[in-house]
Amino acid sequence: MRIGIGYDVHRLTEGRQLILGGVEIASEKGLLGHSDADVLLHAICDALLGAAALGDIGRHFPDTSQEFKDINSLVLMERTGQLIKEQGHTVVNIDSTIIAQRPKLAPYIDEMVINIARVLNISPGQVNIKATTTEGLGWEGSEAGIAAQAVVLLKNG
């Protein structure tokens, strides 16, 4: 068994679509980044790569590469899943948290879980997503950005 953790953060900005867990979220602002800036998927990818001792998302999908400009992060997650599978690992479970003051994310979480499970070819019961605010504290609370954390458990074989 192998455990990995991941963390990601992106600044909120006008003129971008907010995408979390591969789901378009109704919001006045979106996340700024080289790809679609999906902090949830990026945190999970980092956790998966870390558990498999394969480095981090920037090593495999650098933000200096035009190949990944505006890419859908579900594609990055699919490729990450292939990398861990090539190393002989399978996902036992994923637990993640999105930290955002707004918008309310509860209506979107089931769709996020389904997206992640589908792309990684696992059961939705192996994926957990929570959302929390910082009760107005810090940069998340002032709505400057959104962060996500993830923990994964992999098994060999």
Side-chain angles (χ1 to χ4, degrees), residues 1-6 43-57 60 80 83-84 87-94 150-156:
M1 300 294 235
R2 302 174 71 106
I3 298 170
I5 61 170
I44 294 171
C45 285
D46 262 349
L48 290 164
L49 292 165
L54 293 172
D56 64 19
I57 193 169
H60 296 276
T80 299
L83 289 169
I84 65 166
Q87 296 294 314
H89 304 296
T90 57
V91 176
V92 175
N93 77 302
I94 298 168
V151 177
V152 304
L153 180 63
L154 300 181
K155 68 178 179 179
N156 296 336

Side-chain angles (χ1 to χ4, degrees), residues 36-142:
D36 63 7
D38 189 326
V39 293
L40 176 61
L41 297 186
H42 295 179
I44 294 171
C45 285
D46 262 349
L48 290 164
L49 292 165
L54 293 172
D56 64 19
I57 193 169
R59 176 177 162 193
H60 296 276
F61 314 111
D63 64 5
T64 54
S65 172
Q66 280 303 111
E67 177 185 357
F68 306 116
K69 178 74 174 138
D70 297 322
I71 195 167
N72 182 328
S73 292
L74 287 169
V75 173
L76 302 180
M77 177 163 279
E78 183 176 35
R79 292 183 187 179
T80 299
Q82 291 169 350
L83 289 169
I84 65 166
K85 188 176 283 189
E86 288 169 7
Q87 296 294 314
H89 304 296
T90 57
V91 176
V92 175
N93 77 302
I94 298 168
D95 187 28
S96 57
T97 304
I98 304 167
I99 304 119
Q101 195 63 35
R102 292 188 312 126
K104 293 294 183 191
L105 298 174
Y108 303 98
I109 287 178
D110 288 344
E111 189 177 354
M112 293 178 200
V113 167
I114 289 167
N115 283 344
I116 293 164
R118 176 182 47 80
V119 167
L120 293 176
N121 198 29
I122 59 177
S123 163
Q126 294 171 270
V127 180
N128 189 57
I129 301 171
K130 303 173 296 291
T132 190
T133 72
T134 61
E135 299 192 19
L137 298 174
W139 56 266
E140 297 105 328
S142 69

